[in-house]
């Protein structure tokens, strides 16, 4: 593993200076953290919608875990999730203040994911662009309770310790959050195969520049959200309706190429500048990640992430997990 959290863990777990007992303890601490690292990253990412901020939360989680005697912890998964949740909640409140001054629509940071994420239906739905935007409408504590309960299946007592509330209060928050999400979650979500077929038809239509063919792939009330963060050109308000969205997308045919990708557990597209005679390498640069929401064989939602600061994690797959890496029952 090549992330900075694991690197820090290995540094902290350097040569023992206090004998074999200290060395064994340090090894056990490191092994346990690394074993749960992908789970902890997933928790933090689902709360924050930002891979960079999730990595920061994991760094703080490691620093706190490194001082713990693992022999005194009966349930490492619950213990580590509790620490990571507290760190992510602290960041989530600060992130909320940053979002208030964000230029244009804010979208979650897209992640290139492995096929196994799609095989876990609950996980794939929870990290989809559409669902993460729904969770953005929850207050920080509500979001944490919803994620820990509905996605990671933690008990109310465990969640109460993580969010600093009583178990009775957590039950009420969970009920309120479930109702809030149920009223806003996308209806009629398509299967992965239907989504893949629709995404491919959409890609071909965009690349041909055929406006009618493109319109045939879009739902009448389709919505396009573009996140440029004030750094690159992007629509500052949602683009609504098939005609308007098609006209925006039709411009891509002459200036870009689209490639299939698996983003946040679902079929999606990456947009690349058209290759030029002077700079063929530009075609390998990701200009935009285009995630799609599909229902009844039509594209009902488009999420275009263009902010360069949110495209750093696309050079490799990001493992997302609901359990420890080597034990699905942990």
């Amino acid at each position: 593993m090549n992330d900075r959290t694991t690197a820090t863990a290995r540094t902290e777990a350097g040569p023992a200076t206090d004998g074999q007992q200290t060395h064994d303890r340090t090894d056990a601490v490191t092994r346990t953290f690394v074993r749960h690292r992908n789970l902890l990253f997933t928790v933090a990412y689902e709360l924050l919608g930002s891979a960079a901020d999730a990595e920061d939360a994991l760094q703080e989680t490691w620093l706190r875990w490194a001082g713990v005697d693992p022999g005194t912890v009966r349930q490492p998964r619950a213990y580590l999730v509790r620490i990571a949740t507290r760190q992510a909640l602290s960041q989530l409140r600060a992130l909320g203040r940053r979002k208030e001054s964000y230029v244009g629509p804010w979208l979650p940071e897209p992640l290139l994911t492995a096929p196994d994420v799609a095989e876990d239906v609950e996980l794939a739905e929870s990290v989809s662009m559409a669902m993460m935007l729904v969770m953005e409408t929850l207050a920080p504590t509500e979001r944490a309770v919803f994620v820990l309960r509905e996605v990671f299946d933690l008990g109310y007592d465990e969640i109460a310790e993580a969010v600093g509330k009583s178990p009775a209060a957590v039950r009420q928050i969970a009920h309120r959050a479930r109702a809030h999400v149920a009223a806003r979650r996308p209806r009629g979500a398509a299967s992965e195969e239907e989504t893949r077929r629709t995404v491919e038809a959409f890609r071909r239509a965009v690349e041909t520049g055929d406006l009618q063919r493109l319109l045939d792939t879009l739902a009448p009330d389709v919505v396009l959200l573009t996140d440029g963060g004030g750094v690159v050109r992007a629509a500052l308000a949602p683009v609504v309706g098939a005609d308007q969205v098609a006209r925006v997308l039709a411009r891509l045919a002459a200036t870009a190429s689209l490639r299939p990708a698996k983003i946040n557990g679902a079929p999606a597209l990456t947009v690349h500048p058209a290759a030029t005679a002077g700079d063929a390498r530009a075609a390998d640069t990701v200009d935009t990640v285009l995630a799609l929401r599909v229902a009844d064989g039509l594209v009902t939602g488009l999420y275009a992430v263009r902010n360069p600061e949110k495209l750093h994690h696309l050079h490799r797959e990001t493992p997302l997990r609901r359990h420890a890496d080597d034990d699905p029952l942990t």
Side-chain angles (χ1 to χ4, degrees):
M1 303 176 69
N2 296 318
D3 55 83
R4 58 182 174 148
T5 306
T6 304
T8 302
R10 288 171 176 164
T11 300
E12 293 283 342
T17 56
D18 297 321
Q20 187 62 41
Q21 185 176 7
T22 299
H23 180 75
D24 290 347
R25 174 199 167 277
T26 304
D27 277 355
V29 167
T30 303
R31 285 195 306 270
T32 300
F33 183 85
V34 171
R35 182 177 173 230
H36 290 84
R37 186 206 177 280
N38 292 331
L39 159 69
L40 301 176
F41 175 86
T42 307
V43 170
Y45 174 70
E46 292 215 19
L47 291 180
L48 295 164
S50 163
D53 290 325
E55 291 284 4
D56 288 342
L58 257 66
Q59 181 77 2
E60 292 300 320
T61 300
W62 161 252
L63 292 174
R64 283 155 177 76
W65 173 248
V68 172
D69 179 355
T72 66
V73 180
R74 289 189 301 170
Q75 296 179 309
R77 176 180 185 260
Y79 191 95
L80 283 163
V81 167
R82 183 163 69 244
I83 299 174
T85 298
R86 289 174 179 170
Q87 298 306 313
L89 268 175
S90 176
Q91 289 200 41
L92 184 60
R93 295 183 176 106
L95 188 63
R97 291 190 290 272
R98 297 208 314 256
K99 289 175 186 174
E100 292 175 1
S101 59
Y102 198 80
V103 178
W106 182 94
L107 292 174
E109 183 175 348
L111 299 177
L112 187 67
T113 51
D116 63 349
V117 174
E119 295 169 5
D120 186 334
V121 177
E122 290 184 2
L123 176 60
E125 182 194 19
S126 69
V127 297
S128 69
M129 285 283 182
M131 190 61 173
M132 292 192 76
L133 282 176
V134 170
M135 290 194 291
E136 278 292 312
T137 64
L138 293 168
T141 300
E142 288 180 327
R143 184 168 181 170
V145 170
F146 180 85
V147 166
L148 295 180
R149 181 63 181 172
E150 301 301 315
V151 181
F152 297 96
D153 199 31
L154 263 65
Y156 290 113
D157 288 348
E158 294 172 303
I159 299 172
E161 290 189 42
V163 300
K165 302 284 185 181
S166 70
V170 166
R171 285 180 180 273
Q172 292 181 338
I173 294 170
H175 177 75
R176 186 167 63 245
R178 277 194 299 269
H180 181 98
V181 170
R184 292 163 177 79
R185 78 188 325 148
R187 304 296 180 184
S191 67
E192 183 181 8
E193 179 58 26
E194 181 185 356
T195 299
R196 187 194 62 76
R197 290 195 305 267
T198 304
V199 170
E200 179 58 20
F202 170 86
R203 183 184 70 81
R204 291 195 302 267
V206 171
E207 290 192 332
T208 63
D210 186 329
L211 189 59
Q212 185 55 55
R213 190 175 179 183
L214 181 54
L215 283 168
D216 290 341
T217 69
L218 302 176
D221 57 351
V222 63
V223 177
L224 166 64
L225 297 175
T226 57
D227 178 346
V231 180
V232 296
R233 184 178 179 182
L236 298 181
V239 181
V240 182
D243 288 341
Q244 295 298 320
V245 170
R247 286 186 172 84
V248 171
L249 295 172
R251 302 170 193 158
L252 290 176
T255 61
S257 64
L258 280 66
R259 301 177 192 173
K262 190 63 71 66
I263 298 294
N264 286 48
L269 298 165
T270 54
V271 182
H272 304 257
T276 63
D279 188 8
R281 291 181 302 175
D284 293 326
T285 301
V286 177
D287 174 84
T288 304
V289 167
L290 195 58
L292 293 81
R293 187 175 75 243
V294 173
D296 300 323
L298 296 173
V299 178
T300 60
L302 288 158
Y303 311 99
V305 182
R306 305 203 64 229
N307 186 345
E309 295 179 1
K310 295 186 178 184
L311 302 178
H312 294 312
H313 282 76
L314 299 174
H315 62 285
R316 62 179 175 85
E317 293 177 348
T318 298
L320 298 176
R321 298 286 186 272
R322 289 198 297 151
H323 307 284
D325 278 359
D326 58 351
D327 184 358
L329 300 179
T330 299

